Amino acid sequence: MKILILGIDGYLGWPLALKMGSKGHEVIGIDNLSTRKFSEEVGSDSAFPLPSPSDRVKEAKKILGINIDFYVKDANDMEFLKETIRKHKPDVIVHFAEQRSAPYSMKDYNHAQYTLDNNLGTTLKLIYAVNEIDPSIHILKMGTMGEYGTPSLDIPESPFVEANINNKKDKIIFPRWGGSIYHWSKIFDTDLLLYFNQIFGLTVTDIMQGPVYGTRTTEITEEGLRTRFDFDETWGTVVNRFCVEAVLGLPLTPYGKGGQTRGFISLEDSMEALRTLIENPPKTGEYRLVHQFAEIYSVNKIAEVVKNAAESLGMSTEIKHVDNPRIEAEEHYYNPEIKILPSLGFKPKKNLKDEVKIILEDLIPYKSRLERYKDSIMPKTKWKK
Ligand code: USQ
C-alpha cells in the first residue's frame, strides 16, 4: 500500500513510518516540524536528541533498508497538500498533523486560536483535497478518547446512539465534552468527518485513542531511529512524565486526587493497532469510529507502578499530589466499549508494568540531558487564570 502520513516527524508519526515501511508499504510523509519548535517555546526538548529529517531518512534506509519520502512542509497548505496527493496517489492518508497538547491549547487566547485554526483547517483541507482528487482514499484520522470527557454512562464504540425524548426516538451523536480546547478541536474534527462522510461519501476511520506511553517499537532498535519523547508539563503525557520525574529524583505528580482514569496504550501496541486499521480499511464510503487503548488505569495507579519500577532499579521515589492545574473530574466512572480492534484480530502485547521499566532504563543514560530541562516539568499552565 502507499501511505501518506501527515505529521511524520511526531511521537507517533515516525514510528508508524518505520513500522509500515518495514512491512513493505511505501511511505511518504509531510511535517512542518512544529512540535520541535513548540517544545523549545516551553523551554524543553525531546529526552532523546532528534536527528534532522534528512538524517532520519538516511538512518531508516541504512538500518532498516526502507525508503521514506519526507517533505518538510505544512499539511495546512492546500496547494502543497493537493500536489502531494496527486503526485503520490496514496491508498490511505494518516492525519496526525495537529497540535496535540491540551495544556498548550489552554495557555491563552493565541494558543487556543492557533489550535483551532491549525487542527480544523488541516482537517477541512484534507477532506476537500481527497474529495477533489480521489474520494476513495481512506482517511485515517487520530482523534482522542478525551472527546467523550468522563460521562457517568458506558461509552459506546459508535458515533450514534438511539435517544428517546418525550416518547420520540431518534439517532443522535453520543455526547462529547472536551477537557481542553485541544480536545474540543478533535470533537469538531469528528463532526466535520461525520458530516462530509454523509455529503461526499468519504471513507474514514476516526480513532479515539487514549494516552500513549513508551520509548520502543519493534523497529526502534538503534539510537538513530528513536522517536521524540516529551516530558515537560505542556507536551509530556502522564506515564512518560512520571518516568522522567523518577529518573530525576523528583516526586511523581498526580494532579489533585489522582482518580482521573483513562485508557492507556503502549507505543508498540498503538503502532500495531494503526497497522491493523490501515491494512483492514472500512468499506468504501463508510465512517468507522474505533476505540484504541489497551489497559484502563487511574493516575494514582500509574504513579504506584512507576514508583515500584523505579525502586526495583534502585531509585528512591515519592508520590506527591499537587494542585490540579486543569478543570476535570478527579474521581469518576469510566467504561468505554472496545470491540472493533479485537474483531480485526488485534491483541495488545505490552503491559504498563513491563514497559515502564524499559522506559526508565532507556532514560537513565540521558539523565544529564534531562536535568537541563528540569524547570519545564512542574505544572504551570492553569485552565482558569
Ligand atoms: N496528569 C497528572 N499528572 C501529570 C500529568 C497529567 O495527574 O503530571 C493527569 C491529567 O490531569 C489528566 C491525565 O493525567 O487527568 C492525562 O493527562 P495527559 O497529559 O497524560 O493526557 P492529555 O492531556 O489528556 O492528552 C494526551 C495527549 C493527547 C491525547 C490524550 C488522550 O497529549 O494528544 O489525545 O492524551 S486522552 O487522555 O484519552 O484524551
Side-chain angles (χ1 to χ4, degrees):
M1 284 176 118
K2 249 191 221 176
I3 301 161
L4 171 60
I5 304 176
L6 312 182
I8 192 175
D9 196 51
Y11 180 51
L12 304 182
W14 185 242
L16 185 66
L18 299 181
K19 166 94 45 204
M20 300 315 287
S22 300
K23 299 289 175 193
H25 299 291
E26 203 175 309
V27 179
I28 305 110
I30 302 178
D31 205 296
N32 64 357
L33 311 188
S34 56
T35 308
R36 294 188 190 220
K37 200 175 78 206
F38 295 154
S39 138
E40 224 179 281
E41 177 190 329
V42 300
S44 192
D45 201 346
S46 162
F48 309 112
L50 290 187
S52 67
S54 58
D55 285 345
R56 284 193 133 172
V57 170
K58 278 187 212 140
E59 292 289 303
K61 175 79 183 161
K62 192 174 86 195
I63 302 166
L64 301 173
I66 59 179
N67 294 312
I68 297 173
D69 275 322
F70 189 138
Y71 296 98
V72 180
K73 295 288 266 183
D74 196 342
N76 199 6
D77 171 344
M78 185 58 146
E79 285 320 303
F80 179 72
L81 182 63
K82 287 206 279 193
E83 189 188 308
T84 312
I85 299 173
R86 282 211 175 88
K87 178 169 171 202
H88 292 281
K89 301 186 172 37
D91 300 291
V92 52
I93 303 179
V94 178
H95 179 16
F96 290 158
E98 300 209 342
Q99 188 299 86
R100 60 158 166 92
S101 158
Y104 193 79
S105 75
M106 297 300 283
K107 287 189 189 293
D108 54 24
Y109 164 74
N110 288 329
H111 289 80
Q113 182 254 350
Y114 167 77
T115 303
L116 289 181
D117 273 12
N118 180 72
N119 293 5
L120 293 171
T122 310
T123 300
L124 190 67
K125 288 180 183 87
L126 178 61
I127 287 168
Y128 272 86
V130 165
N131 186 51
E132 184 181 316
I133 299 164
D134 177 1
S136 74
I137 296 172
H138 176 199
I139 297 177
L140 189 103
K141 161 75 178 44
M142 184 51 75
T144 168
M145 282 304 294
E147 290 186 30
Y148 302 111
T150 50
S152 303
L153 295 171
D154 296 342
I155 302 173
E157 197 176 13
S158 150
F160 299 111
V161 282
E162 179 102 340
N164 182 337
I165 297 175
N166 292 342
N167 293 324
K168 294 221 164 32
K169 284 191 188 159
D170 204 349
K171 200 174 79 169
I172 58 166
I173 296 184
F174 186 77
R176 281 89 40 85
W177 192 261
S180 71
I181 281 293
Y182 154 74
H183 288 98
W184 280 103
S185 75
K186 297 268 176 168
I187 294 172
F188 304 145
D189 276 341
T190 290
D191 290 341
L192 288 176
L193 291 168
L194 272 172
Y195 182 65
F196 283 106
N197 161 260
Q198 299 211 344
I199 302 296
F200 295 158
L202 302 180
T203 307
V204 177
T205 300
D206 199 358
I207 304 167
M208 305 298 143
Q209 183 172 249
V212 183
Y213 61 89
T215 47
R216 299 282 185 98
T217 63
T218 320
E219 292 73 32
I220 300 180
T221 47
E222 295 190 26
E223 291 301 298
L225 294 174
R226 280 203 186 279
T227 189
R228 61 175 307 116
F229 185 94
D230 295 285
F231 53 90
D232 58 79
E233 62 113 14
T234 307
W235 294 98
T237 52
V238 64
V239 179
N240 294 353
R241 275 172 54 68
F242 284 1
C243 290
V244 168
E245 288 171 345
V247 167
L248 291 178
L250 298 168
L252 313 188
T253 54
Y255 296 163
K257 292 187 186 137
Q260 300 92 311
T261 301
R262 305 285 185 266
F264 291 85
I265 187 164
S266 70
L267 189 58
E268 167 67 9
D269 285 329
S270 168
M271 295 303 113
E272 276 301 322
L274 291 167
R275 178 166 83 87
T276 304
L277 296 170
I278 290 169
E279 292 178 348
N280 299 277
K283 289 194 212 78
T284 305
E286 188 190 337
Y287 168 95
R288 170 174 72 173
L289 180 147
V290 178
H291 287 175
Q292 188 162 303
F293 58 85
E295 299 174 289
I296 294 181
Y297 288 110
S298 69
V299 166
N300 283 336
K301 182 67 193 172
I302 287 168
E304 194 187 305
V305 169
V306 174
K307 179 175 159 63
N308 290 340
E311 284 174 351
S312 77
L313 293 169
M315 296 178 245
S316 91
T317 309
E318 62 160 325
I319 297 173
K320 192 172 157 212
H321 290 253
V322 297
D323 284 347
N324 195 341
R326 306 184 182 198
I327 294 178
E328 60 182 355
E330 294 175 0
E331 281 170 329
H332 57 86
Y333 182 74
Y334 199 62
N335 187 25
E337 179 180 27
I338 183 151
K339 60 173 196 285
I340 296 177
L341 276 165
S343 78
L344 296 172
F346 168 77
K347 258 203 217 106
K349 294 202 177 63
K350 306 288 178 189
N351 66 72
L352 183 75
K353 203 164 144 247
D354 296 343
E355 284 301 289
V356 158
K357 219 163 158 202
I358 296 169
I359 301 175
L360 293 169
E361 285 166 344
D362 276 352
L363 289 171
I364 290 167
Y366 290 89
K367 190 171 171 187
S368 62
R369 178 178 166 86
L370 296 170
E371 293 277 358
R372 300 216 293 266
Y373 305 108
K374 213 170 177 170
D375 290 348
S376 69
I377 294 177
M378 285 307 280
K380 289 188 270 293
T381 307
K382 291 197 169 60
W383 265 222
K384 197 166 177 195
K385 311 287 185 281

